[in-house]
Amino acid sequence: MTGVQTCALPICRAAIRRVAARILGRFGSRAQPAADALAAALCDPNPHVRSQAAYALGSIGPPARSAAEALGSASGDESPLVGRAAAWALDRVNK
């Protein structure tokens, strides 16, 4: 059995979580059902996962407005990469 098969969700590898967030962002507003999971990913220990989650939420746009509070918090992230992504996303979801 491979590591992917034995891994419980949420996905245990940061690289996979990052790519998953990036792919969800490509769906734009159609990814709205994933907005809560992406908002939760803003607290991921890996800054690359957090930044991709923020970009995905921004790509969803106004349908992800429920994530605005989480994005506001993430805009002050210790990682400048995450902070910039969250600020951009917050602007997009509030349009």
Side-chain angles (χ1 to χ4, degrees):
M1 193 171 262
T2 67
V4 173
Q5 292 169 322
T6 61
C7 181
L9 291 177
I11 300 168
C12 60
R13 292 191 142 169
I16 296 171
R17 294 191 308 273
R18 177 181 49 81
V19 171
R22 184 185 311 161
I23 290 169
L24 284 167
R26 290 182 180 166
F27 284 95
S29 62
R30 293 176 293 161
Q32 188 278 331
D36 289 343
L38 289 165
L42 294 171
C43 295
D44 193 276
N46 186 292
H48 297 288
V49 173
R50 295 193 307 271
S51 67
Q52 285 300 318
Y55 281 123
L57 287 164
S59 295
I60 294 170
R65 192 166 286 133
S66 63
E69 185 176 340
L71 286 167
S73 295
S75 67
D77 194 278
E78 63 188 33
S79 166
L81 177 71
V82 177
R84 286 190 303 269
W88 173 83
L90 187 58
D91 181 60
R92 297 282 309 254
V93 301
N94 284 327
K95 285 192 175 190

